[in-house]
Amino acid sequence: MTDKEIIEHLQNNKYSRAINGLYDILPSVKQWVRNNSGSADDAQDMFQDALVILYKKIHAGEFTLSVPLKTYLLAVVRNCWFAELRRRKKLPLADAADDIADDMTNEEPGLAIASSAFNFLGEKCRQLLILFYYQKKSFKEIARALSLSSENVAKNQKYRCIQKAKENYVTLSSNGSHE
Amino acid sequence: MNNNTIKIDSYLQGEMSPADKAAFEEQLSFDKDLREELAIHQHIINAATSAGLKASFAAAIHKKIVTRRLIRWGSAIIIIAAALFFVWKSGLFSDHEHEPNGEKHPTIERFNINPSADTIIETHDGVVFAIPAHAFATEANSIELEIKTALNAYDILHNGLSTRSNGRMLNTAGMFYINAVEGGKTLSLTKDIAVSVPTANVNPDMQIFDGVENEGLNSTTVNWVNPRPVDNNLRTYDVNTLDFYPPRYIPTLKALAKAYQNKKYTDSLYYSFSGYPHGAKHPEAAPPVEVKEEPKPRPNDLPQDTSKNPDSKFWRNVDAAAWPLRMDSSIQQDLADSTREFTYQIDPAIIKAIWDKKFNNTIIATKEFEERLRYMHSLCSSEYLELYLKNLNKPLYLIDKLCADHSSGDVKKKFLEFAAQKKGQVMIASDIQQKLTDYFQKKSRAYKEAAAKTWQKYQAKLEALNNSAYRKRGEAAFKELKRTEENFNQELCSNLTAAYAQLDIHRSCNDTILPPTTQYYNTTIRTTGWKNLDLYVFDATENRESMVYTDPNTGKTAKLTYREVNIKIDNPTQYDRVFVYLIPDSLSHFQRMPQQDNGFKEKLNSLFRYDAVAMAYKGGQAYFFKQAGLQPKEYQFKLSAISDVELRAELRRYPLNKGTELRTEFEYQLFEQQETARRLQYMKDVEFRAKVAASIFDCGEASTPVVIESNPK
């Protein structure tokens, strides 16, 4: 699969097809993350993060293919992982991050915090927010999928969840000042 | 919860009325906290979207990993996890209350089959049913099968099926229903039907349940009972650790004291037999000069070339038109394509193609397949193997059954035994199956061609060697003839001249060489004496024996003396071969001394002076000894090493080109010696290969396939 085809698949939300073309680099990602004091799970996580970044960039029309896609993704993974390590306060060495991916991962700090805030939510809340904002499901569908008694319950639950995430956000950003 | 969250969210979702929106935006312009909260809210939505996206990627990766893992571990059977098997005639799906107009169950599939033939059916969603002949209690030649499958939650819900067993919730991997109808009557089942249900993820704890209907107040529900474990998966091994050789191959090599444990050697030897029984030349096809002198190397049990025989039992057997089995069309097409290709016993090229790590995690890489292959090696056909290779993604026992249906007698019995083991399968994706099949086809063809080419090359080289040897021999034989004849004539001339001289008759030898015509000498009485003397001398020269002749007229005596010289070589066994030549001074050519016992003996004519040279080779090193003025007695020659240049110089000393001639002769003898060794080696090779071939292509020996019996010649 050519890089162009992979990008097209991502453009059209054909995740599985895109993964078929990109799966080959997962071993290199794992290898690299392991060599940089991460686990296989971390590697998976970073790989997915990198894919999300790539996807967003493509959909925002901000992506131009200047290096092979795999090189690009590996660079993004590196930056993501360094950011993650920094977050875990154990960045080993000031390893120079790749320039190609710099602009990608230097997202607004707010987004990184929001991501953590979101991840601190309970499973059900996360599911609900994903179903609503990402999958654009109706409250009726959400109620059925999450075994909630009614649409209204789902709707109220959604507000509670987002409220909780915002509280998490505030907590995280005030704690973050200690870093 | 503060009201801002609801407000912000409906603002961001575009759900506000224009008035509310304007008011909200107004508030934003002066409320810093609200602006901040809006930003956070937006971040959270972004985070939720990213998380969703990430989950999608994770799912795609997981799917990919699972697929790969399945392939890698070969773990999967297809067999259902928790599949549910309906009690016959339970009629769950066919319940007309549930299906008033058929819309509720869109997945019903109907197949018309011949119940007296083995049939394999695959539903639209990949459930495979292998229905043996006479599985249903009917004499009809066409019945209808109704099959429904519900493999995912959607189908299960749409079919109104429950996933409860005696009140407990089941984690189902799919459900299916099968019913056979003939003339509106439901038929009962008399034989087992093998069913394979595809699944992405194999749960070894899955069981199969029977469905039992419970009549309810206004609907029918199904309870799942009688759980049993599903069929066993096959365990795969590294294909290189399995033994795909014909069963007698390695024992034969062992018996012949070959390096049977060296797989590199055994492989290359085995694969070199690709195309052996047909196509390539047999050993007898070598030039005639080879065959006359050597015993025929081919044992009786060597496979015969049947390709020229239109009545060949093998051909008849693989005729696609005679194929009795009902199969899905793609298999049938594949078979039609392949049967022309492999018609005899299993060609080593096929084994080479599948004995490859690419086939790890397929049914090929299982002990079960190894066992079947050992048996198939003894059959006079490779088409059974073809069936396995064409159906890598099917359970082994289904293929066993196909083979059984295609054969009869003992072979059928054997394949039925295999089928009865109910061996499952190794799940592989169908595109990979296709790729592997393509790979196998391509590789085995390539190996075959390579083997044929190598064989041709070998044959051409052999032929060239034989031709050159033949030519050299002819030249040498001609030279020797010429040499002997000239020597004889010259020696006879010398002997005659000497004998005449002793009788005081002065004649040159040329006078006697031309025999006088009978007419002319009839009138001249005195010529009888000459004639008489000529014959004596001729015999003496011919037999190299001394003679005494007394002229009846003059009483004078003529004597010719031949006395034996006996030359022994010091430590002769250390040389590859030793030659001793006599070089008479008055003759134009040398004489090769015949080897007798452990020495060289020849009778010397006392009229000549002889030198002798002995030459030998050991490895590439020449050895030489010369003796001038040879006397009729016993000698012991001690040869010493000599360089080729020195040897040439030594030989050049002898006049009349004798040295050059000698050199040529010696070289020819050496060539002859190597040639003999080569031929011996070749014959040994041929014999060896014949023995090995007999162990590889032993069809009809170990067990006689019935296909042969049913087609007597």
Side-chain angles (χ1 to χ4, degrees):
Chain A
M1 207 183 294
T2 65
D3 285 357
K4 217 172 148 247
E5 283 166 342
I6 295 171
I7 289 168
E8 261 171 40
H9 288 319
L10 286 173
Q11 194 94 52
N12 301 324
N13 299 340
K14 308 270 189 212
Y15 305 114
S16 291
R17 288 193 196 166
I19 290 300
N20 274 339
L22 289 168
Y23 188 80
D24 288 352
I25 69 163
L26 190 52
S28 349
V29 170
K30 280 186 178 161
Q31 184 66 39
W32 186 85
V33 172
R34 275 211 199 99
N35 289 345
N36 287 277
S37 52
S39 67
D41 285 347
D42 289 333
Q44 284 271 8
D45 209 34
M46 292 304 115
F47 186 50
Q48 289 162 18
D49 281 345
L51 288 171
V52 169
I53 288 171
L54 173 67
Y55 176 92
K56 282 182 168 177
K57 191 95 177 167
I58 288 171
H59 278 256
E62 293 167 13
F63 185 77
T64 43
L65 195 64
S66 53
V67 289
L69 202 49
K70 291 178 180 181
T71 315
Y72 176 84
L73 273 174
L74 273 175
V76 175
V77 163
R78 275 179 201 141
N79 287 2
C80 286
W81 179 237
F82 285 135
E84 176 67 11
L85 281 178
R86 223 174 280 123
R87 202 181 62 77
R88 296 185 195 174
K89 294 182 197 165
K90 51 177 186 178
L91 182 65
L93 287 166
D95 203 287
D98 286 61
D99 295 340
I100 15 170
D102 251 3
D103 61 323
M104 293 301 306
T105 38
N106 288 347
E107 293 184 71
E108 295 176 59
L111 276 180
I113 298 168
S115 174
S116 296
F118 179 81
N119 284 329
F120 274 110
L121 292 174
E123 171 65 23
K124 214 154 193 176
C125 262
R126 290 205 300 267
Q127 286 291 336
L128 195 153
L129 293 183
I130 288 173
L131 284 171
F132 184 82
Y133 289 111
Y134 173 65
Q135 297 193 15
K136 316 264 188 236
K137 298 282 185 207
S138 69
F139 286 117
K140 195 177 174 183
E141 288 167 310
I142 292 172
R144 197 162 50 201
L146 298 178
S147 309
L148 301 174
S149 54
S150 73
E151 269 178 74
N152 244 346
V153 172
K155 199 170 181 175
N156 282 328
Q157 195 63 41
K158 187 198 108 182
Y159 291 130
R160 271 195 204 101
C161 290
I162 203 155
Q163 179 68 26
K164 178 82 181 125
K166 279 154 75 176
E167 284 163 20
N168 285 347
Y169 184 96
V170 174
T171 314
L172 282 168
S173 45
S174 54
N175 286 348
S177 60
H178 295 301
E179 287 187 29
Chain B
M1 192 193 314
N2 65 34
N3 282 336
N4 281 348
T5 294
I6 297 172
K7 236 196 270 177
I8 293 171
D9 201 60
S10 56
Y11 172 70
L12 288 174
Q13 295 301 306
E15 288 164 356
M16 275 185 171
S17 67
D20 286 353
K21 196 180 163 202
F24 182 77
E25 278 170 352
E26 165 84 9
Q27 195 187 345
L28 272 180
S29 64
F30 57 81
D31 190 338
K32 184 172 168 263
D33 287 349
L34 187 63
R35 278 205 302 277
E36 230 166 64
E37 203 181 337
L38 174 71
I40 293 172
H41 199 113
Q42 234 160 349
H43 284 327
I44 297 295
I45 290 173
N46 275 342
T49 314
S50 292
L53 199 51
K54 194 170 167 179
S56 295
F57 281 118
I61 293 170
H62 180 71
K63 195 171 136 202
K64 178 84 181 168
I65 291 173
V66 167
T67 316
R68 282 170 69 112
R69 207 165 272 163
L70 286 177
I71 293 162
R72 183 159 346 123
W73 295 106
S75 59
I77 26 167
I78 286 182
I79 290 289
I80 330 177
L84 307 159
F85 194 84
F86 282 76
V87 163
W88 297 98
K89 295 194 266 181
S90 73
L92 178 79
F93 284 99
S94 61
D95 185 339
H96 294 289
E97 287 173 51
H98 276 202
E99 196 183 19
N101 46 22
E103 277 171 14
K104 198 171 180 187
H105 310 303
T107 57
I108 186 156
E109 288 175 75
R110 293 176 202 278
F111 300 86
N112 283 310
I113 69 161
N114 174 0
S116 57
D118 293 336
T119 308
I120 289 182
I121 284 173
E122 187 168 349
T123 66
H124 74 285
D125 47 7
V127 179
V128 176
F129 293 85
I131 300 152
H134 310 296
F136 296 99
T138 178
E139 298 299 319
N141 46 24
S142 175
I143 60 171
E144 188 179 69
L145 289 184
E146 298 171 351
I147 294 177
K148 296 188 181 190
T149 53
L151 300 189
N152 53 47
Y154 181 86
D155 285 345
I156 290 168
L157 291 175
H158 268 254
N159 281 304
L161 290 163
S162 81
T163 53
R164 286 180 178 276
S165 170
N166 295 327
R168 283 170 60 203
M169 199 70 186
L170 290 176
N171 172 20
T172 184
M175 307 175 180
F176 58 85
Y177 164 81
I178 180 169
N179 193 30
V181 184
E182 190 231 325
K185 277 193 308 185
T186 295
L187 299 168
S188 62
L189 192 65
T190 57
K191 283 185 185 172
D192 287 352
I193 291 179
V195 186
S196 300
V197 177
T199 181
N201 244 335
V202 169
N203 179 346
D205 297 329
M206 280 293 175
Q207 303 190 81
I208 182 153
F209 292 73
D210 292 337
V212 174
E213 282 178 76
N214 293 324
E215 295 290 341
L217 271 179
N218 47 14
S219 70
T220 304
T221 57
V222 173
N223 187 28
W224 300 105
V225 297
N226 188 22
R228 311 176 295 286
V230 294
D231 293 359
N232 282 333
N233 294 340
L234 291 187
R235 162 150 189 222
T236 57
Y237 294 80
D238 178 351
V239 78
N240 285 315
T241 63
L242 298 172
D243 179 6
F244 288 171
Y245 289 133
R248 283 177 53 210
Y249 175 63
I250 292 295
T252 301
L253 288 188
K254 197 174 169 185
L256 293 171
K258 296 288 174 184
Y260 67 96
Q261 284 163 320
N262 178 350
K263 185 154 188 304
K264 227 173 172 178
Y265 166 74
T266 54
D267 272 357
S268 75
L269 178 65
Y270 176 62
Y271 300 146
S272 77
F273 280 92
S274 172
Y276 186 83
H278 49 95
K281 281 186 190 173
H282 279 304
E284 301 94 61
V289 61
E290 289 294 332
V291 186
K292 275 181 203 153
E293 300 160 30
E294 304 286 344
K296 292 225 175 186
R298 225 177 74 154
N300 293 333
D301 57 353
L302 207 67
Q304 298 296 313
D305 184 350
T306 52
S307 60
K308 294 161 203 113
N309 182 356
D311 274 342
S312 165
K313 51 209 168 194
F314 307 118
W315 274 111
R316 204 183 285 176
N317 195 28
V318 297
D319 190 342
W323 187 257
L325 191 77
R326 240 217 257 169
M327 281 176 297
D328 76 71
S329 58
S330 74
I331 296 181
Q332 219 152 14
Q333 187 52 46
D334 282 346
L335 270 167
D337 291 342
S338 64
T339 42
R340 300 293 154 204
E341 181 98 32
F342 309 109
T343 45
Y344 303 96
Q345 269 192 274
I346 295 168
D347 190 291
I350 302 182
I351 301 298
K352 176 154 180 127
I354 61 168
W355 208 345
D356 185 295
K357 61 179 188 315
K358 283 205 172 52
F359 288 88
N360 277 348
N361 310 312
T362 68
I363 53 168
I364 304 291
T366 60
K367 293 279 185 198
E368 289 78 9
F369 177 77
E370 182 188 58
E371 184 193 359
R372 282 153 182 75
L373 182 57
R374 280 178 86 78
Y375 175 65
M376 288 188 282
H377 271 306
S378 72
L379 302 179
C380 297
S381 161
S382 63
E383 66 202 272
Y384 302 106
L385 175 57
E386 291 283 308
L387 276 180
Y388 288 92
L389 299 182
K390 298 287 182 199
N391 293 288
L392 293 177
N393 55 355
K394 297 268 184 333
L396 210 50
Y397 68 91
L398 287 187
I399 315 172
D400 295 337
K401 235 185 138 304
L402 284 184
C403 291
D405 291 329
H406 176 45
S407 50
S408 56
D410 287 346
V411 180
K412 187 187 182 80
K413 220 172 110 192
K414 186 74 184 174
F415 279 117
L416 283 176
E417 275 171 33
F418 284 139
Q421 298 170 358
K422 280 271 175 194
K423 294 296 182 186
Q425 70 189 106
V426 174
M427 195 187 134
I428 56 174
S430 63
D431 61 327
I432 291 179
Q433 131 99 33
Q434 191 50 49
K435 270 181 199 143
L436 283 172
T437 305
D438 291 349
Y439 172 82
F440 147 72
Q441 296 277 20
K442 220 168 60 195
K443 275 299 170 203
S444 65
R445 204 169 297 143
Y447 289 138
K448 267 191 178 174
E449 275 167 22
K453 256 182 207 150
T454 312
W455 181 248
Q456 275 165 13
K457 223 165 147 186
Y458 171 69
Q459 287 294 318
K461 196 179 145 201
L462 204 63
E463 206 162 319
L465 280 174
N466 287 336
N467 286 342
S468 126
Y470 185 69
R471 204 175 52 243
K472 277 193 185 174
R473 275 200 193 125
E475 282 166 12
F478 178 73
K479 277 185 198 154
E480 179 148 23
L481 188 73
K482 203 175 144 215
R483 223 163 40 223
T484 317
E485 194 186 320
E486 281 180 24
N487 267 358
F488 178 81
N489 286 340
Q490 287 171 13
E491 190 162 349
L492 179 64
C493 177
S494 301
N495 285 348
L496 267 177
T497 309
Y500 283 134
Q502 289 172 47
L503 299 174
D504 284 339
I505 298 168
H506 296 286
R507 286 189 67 103
S508 84
C509 63
N510 284 339
D511 294 337
T512 59
I513 296 291
L514 300 167
T517 64
T518 317
Q519 259 184 334
Y520 176 77
Y521 286 107
N522 266 347
T523 57
T524 315
I525 293 163
R526 286 189 65 180
T527 56
T528 50
W530 305 119
K531 191 72 178 165
N532 209 4
L533 183 59
D534 278 3
L535 273 178
Y536 272 113
V537 174
F538 187 90
D539 286 348
T541 313
E542 171 81 0
N543 303 324
R544 302 194 75 76
E545 274 165 2
S546 302
M547 71 153 224
V548 180
Y549 171 76
T550 310
D551 188 332
N553 298 324
T554 62
K556 288 198 174 175
T557 302
K559 262 193 193 173
L560 290 177
T561 313
Y562 282 96
R563 288 165 73 191
E564 192 177 74
V565 63
N566 187 356
I567 295 167
K568 289 215 173 354
I569 303 294
D570 207 39
N571 198 4
T573 49
Q574 66 168 302
Y575 307 108
D576 294 338
R577 202 164 165 192
V578 185
F579 301 96
V580 182
Y581 298 95
L582 294 175
I583 306 169
D585 58 350
S586 316
L587 302 182
S588 16
H589 305 286
F590 62 86
Q591 275 176 256
R592 189 169 74 239
M593 284 183 81
Q595 192 163 10
Q596 282 178 3
D597 307 326
N598 39 13
F600 295 81
K601 288 182 186 167
E602 187 53 284
K603 286 172 180 160
L604 303 180
N605 189 333
S606 56
L607 294 174
F608 305 145
R609 181 180 183 275
Y610 291 92
D611 290 347
V613 296
M615 290 184 281
Y617 257 100
K618 188 173 101 185
Q621 174 66 53
Y623 293 82
F624 181 76
F625 184 85
K626 63 176 175 181
Q627 172 74 49
L630 206 63
Q631 297 300 310
K633 59 172 192 178
E634 205 161 289
Y635 287 90
Q636 183 84 18
F637 282 8
K638 198 172 158 103
L639 279 65
S640 45
I642 188 169
S643 76
D644 270 12
V645 179
E646 288 168 325
L647 182 63
R648 237 175 270 261
E650 282 286 353
L651 294 176
R652 222 175 284 129
R653 286 183 203 167
Y654 297 101
L656 293 170
N657 269 346
K658 272 185 250 186
T660 322
E661 235 180 49
L662 205 49
R663 170 89 201 167
T664 314
E665 154 74 10
F666 183 52
E667 274 164 5
Y668 169 71
Q669 289 301 341
L670 285 172
F671 164 78
E672 183 60 40
Q673 175 195 342
Q674 285 159 4
E675 173 68 11
T676 308
R678 181 184 74 83
R679 270 184 297 137
L680 272 178
Q681 188 54 49
Y682 170 69
M683 285 306 151
K684 265 192 206 160
D685 288 351
V686 167
E687 207 175 325
F688 170 65
R689 285 183 70 81
K691 277 182 190 155
V692 175
S695 78
I696 293 175
F697 305 104
D698 61 350
C699 108
E701 294 235 321
S703 61
T704 308
V706 174
V707 284
I708 287 180
E709 291 167 6
S710 62
N711 289 302
K713 284 225 169 170

